[in-house]
Amino acid sequence: MSSAPLPPAFLQALAEGFPEDFLTREPAELAEYGRDWTRVHTPAPAAVAFPRTTQEVSRLLALASAHRVAVVPSGGRTGLAGGAVAARGELVLSLQRMNRLGEVDLLGNTCRVQAGAITEAVHQHCAQHGLTWPVDFASKGSSQVGGNIATNAGGVKVISYGLTRQWVLGLQVVLASGEVLELNGALEKNNTGTDLRQLFIGSEGTLGVITEATLKLAPLPGPQSVFLFAVPDVAAVLRLFREARRAPLTLSAYEFFTDRCLARVQRHRKLRSPFEAPSGCYVLLEAEGSDPDAVETWLGSLFERGLVTDGTLAQGAQQAQELWSLREAISESLAATGLPHKNDISLPVARLEAFCGELESVFAQRYPGWEICLFGHIGDGNLHVNVMKPEDMDKAEFLAHTKQADPTMFELVRKHAGSISAEHGVGLLKKPYLGYSRSPGELALLRTLKRALDPLGILNPGKVVDVG
Amino acid sequence: MSSAPLPPAFLQALAEGFPEDFLTREPAELAEYGRDWTRVHTPAPAAVAFPRTTQEVSRLLALASAHRVAVVPSGGRTGLAGGAVAARGELVLSLQRMNRLGEVDLLGNTCRVQAGAITEAVHQHCAQHGLTWPVDFASKGSSQVGGNIATNAGGVKVISYGLTRQWVLGLQVVLASGEVLELNGALEKNNTGTDLRQLFIGSEGTLGVITEATLKLAPLPGPQSVFLFAVPDVAAVLRLFREARRAPLTLSAYEFFTDRCLARVQRHRKLRSPFEAPSGCYVLLEAEGSDPDAVETWLGSLFERGLVTDGTLAQGAQQAQELWSLREAISESLAATGLPHKNDISLPVARLEAFCGELESVFAQRYPGWEICLFGHIGDGNLHVNVMKPEDMDKAEFLAHTKQADPTMFELVRKHAGSISAEHGVGLLKKPYLGYSRSPGELALLRTLKRALDPLGILNPGKVVDVG
């Protein structure tokens, strides 16, 4: 696939076989639909197509195959790895017009939706029935279900609900050839050979285009208790995690952040810490419906045993929201108070402490004065590592340094059997580093799958892995 | 692959490169290791290999590839679809010597085990730490972890824990070539391209041999309440299910059986029904830790609203066990009191009522006098359909009839978008019927995967799908 213009015969076939508003080549739209939330690559798609039906997607891909046109499937484009970027003259296939929400099935707790449905719209649709699709994160107001599934999206509720993969019963997928597959329907159990859904979940549009999904729904959670704890260091965060998992409560979130994150949140958002004395690390713990007496006893024992240095339990919804704000404002505050270089990595939970210690010491040695802001879904082993540009350093110099620093960190990730992308995916940004988390044998198998499913290489080419 | 004897050069290579006790060709062992819990095919393997290490498995498969020897991976052989049957002169690869249990990781709640570890041994190993691997069924005393994963095993706890797929963090897999892949390690989150683990989970040994796994563990459940309800029919079973899902309790099992099942259990096991009057259907509901007052109110309302005709809550562990016995003794009692023809199917929960009605009426019309015993994990849409041989019918005639009756039922399964194998897999027994649950496009994709991963066709050939 090159960045050659779209073949005239392909454009003619589209003009003849599809509605007038099917395609746009208007520059502002090309710029908009050619990029995601990353701002690294300059968007340069050749055109954007807006199908309304699976049948249109199918006919479009059959034509793209016939004319060897590279296609970038496109959801809400809230990705952070460049998976939906079209920078090489591709055709963007936007699912946004396919946003129908089916009836909620109250017997099976399922709902069939089209891929372009907005995540938050699905939440609202299901909440009327006391149900939810428990895939939840900051970008839910614009992210789409198809993109959530294609990237196996994570978020703040993974510790209790798991990743998106667990909340997809059925998938309708269009292959590169245009063939439409209906996979698994609304079945909980179906052991009839390899589960083909799993090929497409998390494949970032490189193996097929997701057009519809039957979502598995969960009951809306009951009232939650929100705690904030102060602890001295990462080791203490993990000791508390172990206690919390055995406590008389059901964890629904276990988030952590360091004092550096909090300081920037306070600077930017003027939020107050609930604690008088600062501490090295903070833990936000959310838990569902538990026996208040047992919880109080447990809380007391945390102080007695020196597991926390301070702690507070939110009284009411407003205070709970205030505590959550401290965590949720971090990304925004880092960006507002400096230039962060971001990585989203994961480690086996048991390796987190050693990893964090080595990371700090390697960076302190090689890059003295650099500020590392650590936060994340530590209960899942997921760390967001943000390195802040030193104030007196030029931006270009900083970026050159981070390009060198990333492999240093990924080397540590590999040493501790972690992943260079916990939930953000690979896309374009992490592709050069995939070998830190995947062996040559795995990379070969990923290429084998790509060749088997998309032999002409028209689906999101150049993303995740390059196929020779 | 044919049933030709093993090539002498292959046998010589084994004799030279492996321990003396690596291979057996002793007739009694061939018969034992060549079959699973099905008794349809006559076991006829050429030999059985007992590797002790992954490295031995790898060298064995490399040799098998070089000499085009068909290999049947073999766990506890408790399968019910013939997936581990070796009836055509294959080499059986038994994992039973690879049964090492690693240390329980109490921070990550994980445990690394070899594929030949017995499921129940894993339970006991983890229970010491208040944890469990929530894959649980009647055959756990002899089934092995590798087989559980290769068949994506189900069981009685799927409604709260999901299938085996959800409880596997890492997989070590040996490909047909002998290449060893380490997939995902101990990571909860790892979005670095298609999740390759999923290829092997549920593939019944046709794409690779699972040699080790990092299991995800759950806290041992707290005290459970066990209820038995009497309701008139399947429609009432489903009405009650809908209520139960919205009740102030967390379901951990929702099993049902018909009066015909209960009658045979009473006949065979001399167990007593807790109810005075018989009823069309029974529901066994198990639920975890809930507010007793709220539960009592809920129970009362079930009677008031006519949702159940009778019901009992087990007082204490012994009574709970007695209620569970009524459900768990069904399979054994059907076999002891007659000749059941078994099928394990699933439907979207919302289609169960219509399906059961149509099944009864089709069978009543075509096979008057046949007794259908229905039971199963109805909360997951999973029905075990047992057709009993009429007492005055010859066995051969009955089997000939069931061979005709199966497609009739599978046609109904297809009509209602169900699966011809909910949890038992495909193996040899369901292969002829796979087309009722998989479209031509899906079958083609299953074959594409098989060819891509096992190009020489040495891994469990002839199981799940035939590759031309």
Side-chain angles (χ1 to χ4, degrees), chain A residues 50 62 74 104 137 154-155 176-178 181 204 207 212 220 223 230 255 307 325 329 355 417 437 460 462 466-467:
Chain A
F50 298 97
S74 186
V104 175
F137 32 70
S177 62
L181 295 181
E204 305 185 30
L207 302 181
E212 291 190 16
L220 275 170
E255 301 283 310
L307 286 164
S325 294
F355 173 83
S437 287
N460 221 1
D466 283 316
V467 183

Side-chain angles (χ1 to χ4, degrees), chain B residues 1 69-73 85 88 90 205-206 428 431 450 454 456-466:
Chain B
M1 299 304 122
V69 170
V71 174
V72 176
V85 163
R88 298 195 301 174
E90 302 96 329
T206 62
L428 287 171
K431 188 175 67 168
K450 173 70 176 171
D454 179 21
L456 302 172
I458 66 158
L459 285 178
N460 222 1
K463 309 291 164 57
V464 187
V465 279
D466 283 315

Side-chain angles (χ1 to χ4, degrees), chain A residues 4-14 25 46 63-64 66-70 89:
Chain A
L6 296 176
F10 174 71
L11 288 171
Q12 196 184 332
L14 293 189
R25 290 196 276 175
L63 281 172
H67 296 277
R68 305 288 193 274
V69 170

Side-chain angles (χ1 to χ4, degrees), chain A residues 107-109 151-152 165-166 179 189-192 194 203 245-246 346 377 382 419 421-423 425 438 441, chain B residues 107-109 151-152 165-166 179 189-192 194-195 203 245-246 346 382 419 421-423 425 438 441:
Chain A
L107 206 46
N109 279 5
T151 57
N152 188 28
R165 187 181 303 281
Q166 295 197 14
E179 181 168 16
K189 294 166 90 170
N190 176 20
N191 275 345
T192 49
T194 293
S203 299
R245 270 229 280 231
R246 283 149 183 73
S346 75
H377 323 295
N382 188 179
S419 170
S421 187
E423 55 182 21
R438 295 286 205 169
Chain B
L107 205 47
N109 279 6
T151 57
N152 187 29
R165 187 181 302 282
Q166 296 197 13
E179 180 166 20
K189 293 165 92 171
N190 177 21
N191 274 344
T192 50
T194 292
D195 186 349
S203 299
R245 269 229 280 230
R246 283 148 184 74
S346 75
N382 188 179
S419 170
S421 187
E423 54 183 20
R438 296 286 205 170

Side-chain angles (χ1 to χ4, degrees), chain A residues 116-150:
Chain A
I118 301 289
T119 314
E120 196 168 43
V122 173
H123 293 170
Q124 289 161 355
H125 182 61
C126 300
Q128 307 164 37
H129 305 283
L131 296 168
T132 190
W133 191 49
V135 172
D136 195 3
F137 32 70
S139 62
K140 64 186 166 192
S142 49
S143 81
Q144 297 175 9
V145 167
N148 299 161
I149 297 171

